[in-house]
Amino acid sequence: MRGFRKKNRPVDIDDISIVDQSKSKQAIIAAALGNAIEWFDFGVYGYVAYILGKVFFPHASPSIQLIAALATFSVPFLFRPLGGIIFGRLGDKYGRQKVLSTTIILMTLSTCAIGLLPGYETIGIWAPILLLVIKILQGISVGGEYSGAVIFVAEYAPDRKRGFMGSWLDFGSIAGFLLGAGTVSLLTYLMGAEKFNDWGWRIPFIISLPLGLVGMYLRHALEETPAYQQHSESDQKQKKFSFKELLATHKRSLLLCIGLVLCTNVTYYMVLTYLPSYFTHNLHYDEAQGNLIIIAVMIGMLFVQPLIGWLSDKWGRRPFIFIGSLALIFLSYPAFKLLDSHESSLIFSGLIILALALNMLIGVMASTLPALFPTAIRFSALAIAFNISIVIAGLTPTLTATLVESSGNLMIPAFYLMVFGVVGIITAINLKETANKPLFGAAPLATSEEEAAELLEEFHGTIEERIEKIDEKILALQKKRQSLADKHPEID
């Protein structure tokens, strides 16, 4: 694998890494599986939130039980920035592969522990306390998981396929959520609601253990990413990470990252975590009916997800962020009206609208975010910005449930999505297109010698364009200087 060895010399064909496609596929599978486990837990938790409320908060009213269970889901998000700081720094210093092998172990063990935790009737107040502790530990591990997985795939992906390959990461998210929701529905059907509510809800959490062991094995077997190897082999010294310096030099990138993550993940948590409880508790739908409709929509999302990623390599990332954000602004209210129609076909249509808007955003997020930061600080910067945003986005189920309960307005979720649709539009306007370009500060990445030659020509062409723009600015400044100098008698 070729390395981008020198910082201050011409980039030639020997500097472009040729990536083995089989290794790229392995990287996608290993990263996506960890993401799937994360969202498997979210899917299960969202679908059994009402049961957890009864098990861990039995003396509260049904509404308070639901809000308390969702709050337990949301509180760990407050600790994700801590995990981002810890694992982000480790990922930039010691490599992406080592960190991802660690986070998947912590995440798997904490998810499994929920299924083994005694309820309130057995250990009293310690039950909800231990549940919260487990979720906090899970939040810390997840703080490094998604950011690391996004970077891992992006740094393994060739420039011309980064959108398509990155889209499979959130394919894993949807698949994991689908597997979690499907497991809950299947167990409820096989065991009956009474047995499932009594003890069967524990099984899905315990299932995460073998999944995590497979993911750990796959990640441990992979090499470090080409981009990180290039950085490690270069003569650039590892600087001590400074959040103050990050804000000073990459403020724009941080804000763009936060904006895209907020818009995408608020939609994600609204559609895939909050809606199951919204259907059952607020719209009073039959639980099985609501679950089956959402599962059907998620299956459709699986097919759309890689298509969006592939198209983004052709058309760019920004058009899809625009489309997804505009859909949230103008179609969220009609979609939630359809959800409240009590007709299966109309409910399905409303979910399709929301799901497609979500697909547009998550289809490009994994390929857009890593391109915002240079290799040396990519993990630290992305983990911090991503997890700060997740603190806000993760409160979506709890805040929405509370607002609906207090106001009695079933359209609150639609208004909530519309606000963050505006955030998405602002982000898209200020975002520079990154499709088919090397990652920030890295040499181009190709799949063959022929593609390497083409990328090198494009890379040099881009540099020429940038130099021309700088020359134009210099000329304009020179003219401005001369104009001012002409007004002064002692300046030539």
Side-chain angles (χ1 to χ4, degrees):
M1 189 174 293
R2 297 163 174 168
F4 193 22
R5 296 181 296 276
K6 297 289 184 180
K7 183 177 180 181
N8 295 315
R9 69 169 179 81
V11 177
D12 57 35
I13 193 69
D14 291 328
D15 294 313
I16 300 180
S17 295
I18 308 296
V19 182
D20 186 340
Q21 294 193 58
S22 63
K23 290 185 178 180
S24 295
K25 292 177 182 178
Q26 291 174 19
I28 293 172
I29 294 171
L33 186 56
N35 216 31
I37 294 171
E38 175 187 349
W39 282 93
F40 176 85
D41 170 71
F42 289 164
V44 171
Y45 203 97
Y47 276 76
V48 303
Y50 71 99
I51 299 176
L52 296 178
K54 295 177 181 178
V55 172
F56 293 99
F57 309 96
H59 301 302
S61 67
S63 294
I64 297 301
Q65 285 179 353
L66 176 61
I67 291 173
L70 290 174
T72 307
F73 169 86
S74 296
V75 166
F77 284 80
L78 298 173
F79 290 84
R80 287 183 64 154
L82 175 61
I85 292 171
I86 295 170
F87 291 114
R89 178 59 183 148
L90 292 174
D92 283 333
K93 187 174 183 180
Y94 299 110
R96 297 29 170 145
Q97 186 266 350
K98 293 182 179 64
V99 167
L100 285 177
S101 296
T102 303
T103 57
I104 197 170
I105 295 173
L106 294 176
M107 189 170 59
T108 300
L109 292 177
S110 57
T111 300
C112 181
I114 296 175
L116 302 175
L117 188 63
Y120 189 94
E121 298 299 337
T122 304
I123 58 174
I125 191 64
W126 283 106
I129 291 174
L130 289 175
L131 175 64
L132 186 60
V133 170
I134 290 171
K135 294 298 291 181
I136 289 173
L137 291 175
Q138 190 179 56
I140 292 174
S141 64
V142 171
E145 170 61 32
Y146 184 81
S147 302
V150 164
I151 291 169
F152 199 73
V153 172
E155 291 184 347
Y156 252 112
D159 295 344
R160 292 182 175 178
K161 296 182 179 179
R162 189 166 292 117
F164 177 67
M165 295 179 69
S167 68
W168 288 97
L169 185 61
D170 282 297
F171 179 97
S173 301
I174 301 170
F177 194 97
L178 182 60
L179 180 61
T183 301
V184 171
S185 297
L186 179 62
L187 288 174
T188 303
Y189 173 76
L190 294 176
M191 301 175 65
E194 185 176 348
K195 286 185 178 179
F196 182 81
N197 293 355
D198 186 33
W199 59 270
W201 62 270
R202 299 179 180 275
I203 297 175
F205 291 106
I206 297 173
I207 289 175
S208 66
L209 184 60
L211 293 175
L213 292 175
V214 173
M216 182 183 66
Y217 171 78
L218 290 174
R219 290 183 176 185
H220 185 72
L222 278 169
E223 296 179 0
E224 191 52 78
T225 68
Y228 189 80
Q229 288 187 45
Q230 290 170 3
H231 174 69
S232 299
E233 294 168 3
S234 71
D235 50 11
Q236 302 176 57
K237 294 182 179 180
Q238 180 70 33
K239 296 181 179 180
K240 187 175 181 181
F241 177 77
S242 168
F243 186 69
K244 183 178 180 180
E245 184 179 350
L246 175 63
L247 279 175
T249 57
H250 297 284
K251 183 178 179 180
R252 177 188 175 88
S253 294
L254 287 169
L255 291 174
L256 290 172
C257 179
I258 290 171
L260 180 56
V261 174
L262 278 177
C263 179
T264 304
N265 282 276
V266 164
T267 309
Y268 214 137
Y269 293 126
M270 184 72 77
V271 176
L272 300 184
T273 301
Y274 175 67
L275 279 189
S277 299
Y278 178 76
F279 278 170
T280 304
H281 184 74
N282 298 107
L283 300 183
H284 308 293
Y285 289 155
D286 178 72
E287 183 184 339
Q289 177 193 14
N291 288 353
L292 288 174
I293 292 175
I294 292 179
I295 288 172
V297 169
M298 285 193 291
I299 292 173
M301 289 178 67
L302 287 176
F303 291 97
V304 175
Q305 180 71 7
L307 175 62
I308 297 296
W310 180 76
L311 288 174
S312 77
D313 285 327
K314 310 295 181 184
W315 301 341
R317 324 292 190 218
R318 294 177 73 231
F320 291 96
I321 300 173
F322 271 117
I323 295 170
S325 301
L326 287 171
L328 292 180
I329 294 171
F330 294 106
L331 299 180
S332 291
Y333 189 85
F336 272 87
K337 279 294 184 183
L338 291 172
L339 296 184
D340 193 24
S341 65
H342 292 264
E343 293 186 24
S344 295
S345 60
L346 295 180
I347 296 170
F348 187 78
S349 298
L351 278 172
I352 287 290
I353 292 171
L354 296 173
L356 286 175
L358 178 56
N359 265 134
M360 296 293 171
L361 297 167
I362 60 172
V364 300
M365 185 170 72
S367 54
T368 301
L369 297 181
L372 295 173
F373 305 101
T375 305
I377 61 165
R378 182 170 293 131
F379 206 146
S380 298
L382 181 54
I384 290 173
F386 183 88
N387 287 296
I388 287 174
S389 312
I390 286 294
V391 170
I392 301 171
L395 295 174
T396 297
T398 307
L399 285 177
T400 308
T402 303
L403 289 171
V404 170
E405 285 295 327
S406 61
S407 68
N409 187 344
L410 296 177
M411 293 297 106
I412 289 292
F415 300 140
Y416 203 93
L417 290 178
M418 291 165 70
V419 170
F420 286 95
V422 174
V423 173
I425 289 293
I426 295 172
T427 302
I429 290 172
N430 290 280
L431 181 70
K432 293 180 180 179
E433 187 55 70
T434 61
N436 299 305
K437 297 179 181 179
L439 292 173
F440 193 155
L445 206 60
T447 56
S448 66
E449 296 284 349
E450 294 77 13
E451 186 177 276
E454 293 174 4
L455 288 175
L456 182 63
E457 185 177 351
E458 293 174 4
F459 183 71
H460 287 160
T462 301
I463 291 176
E464 291 170 4
E465 290 177 6
R466 292 170 64 185
I467 290 174
E468 287 176 2
K469 291 180 180 178
I470 291 173
D471 287 340
E472 290 174 1
K473 291 180 180 179
I474 291 174
L475 182 60
L477 287 172
Q478 287 175 337
K479 290 180 178 179
K480 184 176 181 179
R481 180 193 181 283
Q482 189 59 49
S483 175
L484 291 172
D486 291 342
K487 299 176 183 179
H488 196 289
E490 298 178 3
I491 298 179
D492 295 330

